[in-house]
């Protein structure tokens, strides 16, 4: 066999192997950081890329994930050369947080992030996922430690917004964009939950008593106002009745005097009218019982009855 042919075959095999080793296909939403002789060279974009074998090498990135093993979430650290640029959710386990009123609660959160700059994600932190997780936990503990337990449940969105601001500041250095931070569960101790339930029941009872007392007060005020208005109307009616009665008596006296002759004694006419009123009252007095007690001054009134006889016996004009 010709030596030239053997050398050509060897060179062809070397070239094919060299090309095969240097050819790298990057999937969509992925990136690969390439180092040349130990220093950063370039970042491969999706598609077909070419690197120099042996001289160029992909730089690996540490990724920390949780897996359920025997009912427990166990952290597993892996090294990968391909960096996923899609939005990723980090569901870290719950942690204990002490609130401002010294109540220990267990908080479970989730963090959504996306790698924007693969170069920074590789070189600016030793373990990107672990750094993000620890920063999220410490920031969450710090923010929730400033609030009391009652306000904690009302301020989830406020806590999420503050955590996102803190994570964005650190993420810019690490080449990561934190899109959302969510608090999934807030678990409080059983004794604290029972105390809160009793407190809520007592608060509802207090509100019911306040509403009942307010209703009774409004009813009493309305009743008093009604009685006051009724008394005023009765008094005004009695007043008008007395005025009308006096007007009627006055007109009756005037008519009697005008109908009588000019020599008629006015005292005799007054006695006549008083006698008539007295006679009208006697039947009503008789209804009180079998025996009737009259005051001594009533005898003077009885004398007015004689005025009727005197008036009737007077000669007509």
């Amino acid at each position: 066999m010709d030596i030239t042919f053997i050398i050509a075959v060897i060179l062809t095999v070397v070239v094919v192997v060299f090309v095969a080793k240097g050819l790298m296909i990057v999937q969509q939403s992925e990136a690969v950081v390439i180092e040349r002789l130990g220093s950063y060279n370039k970042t491969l974009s999706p598609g077909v890329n070419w690197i120099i074998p042996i001289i160029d090498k992909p730089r690996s990135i540490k990724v920390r994930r949780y897996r359920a093993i025997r009912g427990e979430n166990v952290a597993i650290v892996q090294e990968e050369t391909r960096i996923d640029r899609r939005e990723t959710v980090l569901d870290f386990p719950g942690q204990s947080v002490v609130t401002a009123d010294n109540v220990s609660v267990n908080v479970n959160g989730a963090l959504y992030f996306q790698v924007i700059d693969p170069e920074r994600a590789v070189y600016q932190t030793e373990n990107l996922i672990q750094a993000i997780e620890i920063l999220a936990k410490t920031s969450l503990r710090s923010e929730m430690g400033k609030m009391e337990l009652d306000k904690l449940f009302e301020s989830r969105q406020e806590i999420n917004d503050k955590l996102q601001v803190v994570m964005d500041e650190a993420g810019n250095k690490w080449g990561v964009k934190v899109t959302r931070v969510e608090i999934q569960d807030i678990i409080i101790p059983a004794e604290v939950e029972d105390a809160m339930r009793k407190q809520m029941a007592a608060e509802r009872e207090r509100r019911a008593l306040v509403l009942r007392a307010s209703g009774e007060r409004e009813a009493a005020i309305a009743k008093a106002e009604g009685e006051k208005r009724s008394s005023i109307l009765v008094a005004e009616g009695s007043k008008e009745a007395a005025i009308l009665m006096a007007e009627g008596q006055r007109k009756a006296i005037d008519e009697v005097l005008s109908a009588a002759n000019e020599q008629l004694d006015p005292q005799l006419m007054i006695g006549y009218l008083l006698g008539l009123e007295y006679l009208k009252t006697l039947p009503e007095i008789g209804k009180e019982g079998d025996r009737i007690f009259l005051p001594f001054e009533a005898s003077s009134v009885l004398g007015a009855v004689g005025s009727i006889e005197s008036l009737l016996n007077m000669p007509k004009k």
Side-chain angles (χ1 to χ4, degrees), residues 6-16:
I6 296 174
I7 294 174
V9 171
I10 294 174
L11 290 176
T12 302
V13 172
V14 170
V15 170
V16 171

Side-chain angles (χ1 to χ4, degrees), residues 87-88 111-117 120 124 128 131-133 135-140 143 159-181:
E87 186 175 10
T88 307
L111 185 143
Y112 297 82
F113 67 94
Q114 185 178 10
V115 177
I116 304 299
D117 190 343
R120 290 187 179 184
Q124 294 297 328
L128 178 64
I132 294 175
E133 178 184 345
L135 180 60
K137 287 182 176 180
T138 55
S139 302
L140 181 63
E143 293 297 333
I159 297 174
N160 294 340
D161 295 339
K162 291 182 179 180
L163 287 178
Q164 186 168 352
V165 172
V166 175
M167 298 301 298
D168 270 343
E169 293 178 357
N172 291 334
K173 179 181 179 181
W174 298 337
V176 175
K177 172 64 177 177
V178 177
T179 55
R180 293 190 304 277
V181 180

Side-chain angles (χ1 to χ4, degrees), residues 12-29:
T12 302
V13 172
V14 170
V15 170
V16 171
V17 172
F18 188 82
V19 171
K21 288 289 185 180
L23 187 65
M24 181 173 289
I25 299 176
V26 181
Q27 301 293 332
Q28 186 67 32
S29 301

Side-chain angles (χ1 to χ4, degrees), residues 217-228:
R217 180 175 61 86
E218 294 294 335
I221 293 174
K223 182 179 179 181
E225 289 290 338
E227 292 177 351
K228 174 184 176 182

Side-chain angles (χ1 to χ4, degrees), residues 121-152:
V122 171
Y123 292 107
Q124 294 297 328
T125 178
E126 185 267 340
N127 190 322
L128 178 64
I129 307 300
Q130 184 178 11
I132 294 175
E133 178 184 345
I134 293 176
L135 180 60
K137 287 182 176 180
T138 55
S139 302
L140 181 63
R141 188 181 296 112
S142 175
E143 293 297 333
M144 296 184 69
K146 300 175 184 178
M147 300 181 180
E148 295 183 354
L149 182 61
D150 293 338
K151 189 179 179 182
L152 198 62

Side-chain angles (χ1 to χ4, degrees), residues 90-280:
L90 176 61
D91 186 6
F92 48 87
Q95 60 174 337
S96 179
V97 177
V98 180
T99 61
D101 49 352
N102 296 324
V103 179
S104 179
V105 299
N106 192 275
V107 182
N108 183 19
L111 185 143
Y112 297 82
F113 67 94
Q114 185 178 10
V115 177
I116 304 299
D117 190 343
E119 179 187 354
R120 290 187 179 184
V122 171
Y123 292 107
Q124 294 297 328
T125 178
E126 185 267 340
N127 190 322
L128 178 64
I129 307 300
Q130 184 178 11
I132 294 175
E133 178 184 345
I134 293 176
L135 180 60
K137 287 182 176 180
T138 55
S139 302
L140 181 63
R141 188 181 296 112
S142 175
E143 293 297 333
M144 296 184 69
K146 300 175 184 178
M147 300 181 180
E148 295 183 354
L149 182 61
D150 293 338
K151 189 179 179 182
L152 198 62
F153 295 95
E154 305 174 358
S155 307
R156 288 194 179 191
Q157 188 59 44
E158 180 182 350
I159 297 174
N160 294 340
D161 295 339
K162 291 182 179 180
L163 287 178
Q164 186 168 352
V165 172
V166 175
M167 298 301 298
D168 270 343
E169 293 178 357
N172 291 334
K173 179 181 179 181
W174 298 337
V176 175
K177 172 64 177 177
V178 177
T179 55
R180 293 190 304 277
V181 180
E182 298 291 341
I183 297 177
Q184 300 183 71
D185 299 315
I186 300 177
I187 304 174
I188 60 178
E191 59 274 11
V192 177
E193 185 177 0
D194 184 64
M196 292 178 64
R197 189 181 296 108
K198 292 179 179 179
Q199 181 181 1
M200 291 172 60
E203 180 65 20
R204 293 191 185 97
E205 182 64 23
R206 184 189 66 83
R207 292 179 181 178
L209 291 176
V210 170
L211 291 175
R212 189 180 300 113
S214 178
E216 292 177 354
R217 180 175 61 86
E218 294 294 335
I221 293 174
K223 182 179 179 181
E225 289 290 338
E227 292 177 351
K228 174 184 176 182
R229 184 62 180 170
S230 177
S231 300
I232 292 174
L233 293 176
V234 170
E236 291 179 352
S238 301
K239 175 183 175 183
E240 292 180 1
I243 293 173
L244 292 175
M245 185 178 295
E247 289 288 338
Q249 291 177 352
R250 183 180 63 81
K251 290 181 179 180
I253 294 173
D254 291 341
E255 290 179 359
V256 172
L257 291 177
S258 62
N261 51 36
E262 297 179 356
Q263 297 179 356
L264 185 63
D265 187 5
Q267 295 295 329
L268 183 61
M269 296 301 302
I270 294 173
Y272 164 72
L273 294 176
L274 289 175
L276 290 178
E277 292 296 328
Y278 182 75
L279 291 176
K280 293 179 182 179

